[in-house]
Amino acid sequence: MKYLTTPLITLAIIGFAPLANAAEVEEVCAKYRQAFGEWSKSYKVSATLIDGSELKSKTSCYSCYDSFSKYAVMFWSNDGTTVIKLDNRYLSYSGNEGYDQDGKQWELSKGYCY
């Protein structure tokens, strides 16, 4: 019986390992506030939604992110990356605003880009 429990425990740990990772990838509609106050055109992009505590750990930048906030990390085709601290922990169809590390205001939403 001792030998049966060890594989069961290992299987349970492996089965729950993906749940330990708080990051999730979602297709979002992203736009930013331009210098003259208007919103930019909308961009359909994949965003990794991640808790600040996990982002700190993955980047080893412990003073860069708030542990209790949710961030959206977007990777662009030109090898650029945008990290946005979201005002709300959950994305919706009506939009969720936040600010990137340069202070630029963004709006991210689920669904169709218009």
Side-chain angles (χ1 to χ4, degrees):
M1 192 62 149
K2 176 182 177 186
Y3 298 104
L4 180 60
T5 58
T6 304
L8 289 176
I9 291 171
T10 304
L11 184 60
I13 291 170
I14 292 170
F16 288 109
L19 297 177
N21 188 350
E24 58 185 281
V25 178
E26 285 203 36
E27 289 294 314
V28 300
C29 185
K31 57 186 176 181
Y32 60 90
R33 181 86 61 189
Q34 299 178 62
F36 51 89
E38 296 290 321
W39 287 107
S40 70
K41 73 175 192 170
S42 296
Y43 299 91
K44 191 74 163 176
V45 64
S46 292
T48 301
L49 303 176
I50 186 168
D51 289 330
S53 58
E54 188 174 354
L55 192 55
K56 281 182 174 188
S57 175
K58 288 187 181 289
T59 61
S60 298
C61 187
Y62 298 99
S63 63
C64 297
Y65 308 102
D66 176 20
S67 295
F68 302 105
S69 294
K70 184 69 108 180
Y71 291 83
V73 182
M74 298 181 297
F75 299 95
W76 302 97
S77 60
N78 64 355
D79 293 330
T81 306
T82 303
V83 179
I84 301 168
K85 181 179 179 182
L86 299 172
D87 290 344
N88 188 328
R89 295 187 60 80
Y90 304 100
L91 285 181
S92 68
Y93 292 98
S94 61
N96 184 355
E97 292 184 3
Y99 291 86
D100 68 16
Q101 293 173 312
D102 294 328
K104 186 181 289 183
Q105 185 180 13
W106 287 80
E107 183 179 87
L108 276 61
S109 60
K110 292 182 177 184
Y112 181 74
C113 285
Y114 53 91

